[in-house]
Amino acid sequence: MTTKADITPAVTKPKPNARSAFVVVLFYLVFSIVAALIAAIFFGGIRSSESDRVIDGVVDSGMYGTIIVLIAVLFISLYVFKDSRRDIFFERKSFGLSKLYYLFPFTWFGVTLFALFNVDYSSYSLDVILLVLVAALAIGANEEIVTRGILLVGLRNSRVAEWIAWVITVLVFSLLHLVNVLGGANPTV
């Protein structure tokens, strides 16, 4: 006797492979530009003045575009690649790294704390500081989910050698920052 479960095929969400991961990277790149332009139109024009502080560029309309992109990237990673979300958000592959490897992030964290305690916060309002915090978290989440989440998992699922997968993700991560130059940022900073 045949049951309904035998006839109905199991529906699973696709897992990222190299091709789908690069499509997501391309989508991220194009959608980032489109979202920034839409945000500039609806939330204020694109500013570029010599008198602007770096922090002013983070809090302008581009922040809204970044948040729109983050929502799209989260949708892709949580819904489209539902079966791979643990791999995308939590590194499950263990590496035999030297303990000295971890010295670099801890050193960088110390430098960051030192810098944060040496800022004159009196020249910034609390809302500006909170907006910069939100923007920084959204930008970081976008970059990490796309490159070290979806792209890395897609390359691994396509059985690309681990060192090649890491080289590709580092290159893509770096190339994605060229969008900043197209937006008028100084490439030497």
Side-chain angles (χ1 to χ4, degrees), residues 83-144:
D83 290 344
S84 296
R85 68 175 88 151
R86 279 172 102 191
D87 295 327
I88 290 171
F89 289 99
F90 304 103
E91 178 67 43
R92 295 191 331 181
K93 191 164 184 89
S94 64
F95 299 100
L97 298 174
S98 165
K99 301 271 189 251
L100 290 175
Y101 173 81
Y102 298 101
L103 184 62
F104 180 73
F106 286 123
T107 303
W108 201 245
F109 180 73
V111 169
T112 304
L113 282 178
F114 178 77
L116 286 174
F117 286 114
N118 288 302
V119 171
D120 179 19
Y121 290 104
S122 64
S123 61
Y124 303 106
S125 64
L126 181 60
D127 60 332
V128 169
I129 293 170
L130 291 175
L131 287 172
V132 168
L133 181 65
V134 168
L137 291 174
I139 290 167
N142 278 333
E143 294 172 346
E144 293 299 320

Side-chain angles (χ1 to χ4, degrees), residues 45-115:
I46 298 173
R47 300 177 297 171
S48 176
S49 169
E50 291 296 322
S51 64
D52 281 349
R53 301 172 295 185
V54 173
I55 201 167
D56 295 327
V58 173
V59 187
D60 71 356
S61 62
M63 180 189 72
Y64 300 109
T66 301
I67 292 171
I68 292 168
V69 172
L70 178 61
I71 291 167
V73 167
L74 284 172
F75 174 78
I76 291 169
S77 58
L78 293 173
Y79 181 74
V80 176
F81 296 131
K82 182 179 181 179
D83 290 344
S84 296
R85 68 175 88 151
R86 279 172 102 191
D87 295 327
I88 290 171
F89 289 99
F90 304 103
E91 178 67 43
R92 295 191 331 181
K93 191 164 184 89
S94 64
F95 299 100
L97 298 174
S98 165
K99 301 271 189 251
L100 290 175
Y101 173 81
Y102 298 101
L103 184 62
F104 180 73
F106 286 123
T107 303
W108 201 245
F109 180 73
V111 169
T112 304
L113 282 178
F114 178 77

Side-chain angles (χ1 to χ4, degrees), residues 152-174:
L152 183 60
V153 170
L155 292 169
R156 284 178 176 163
N157 287 344
S158 294
R159 308 239 186 268
V160 173
E162 190 68 22
W163 73 272
I164 294 173
W166 278 100
V167 168
I168 290 171
T169 58
V170 167
L171 289 173
V172 168
F173 185 85
S174 300

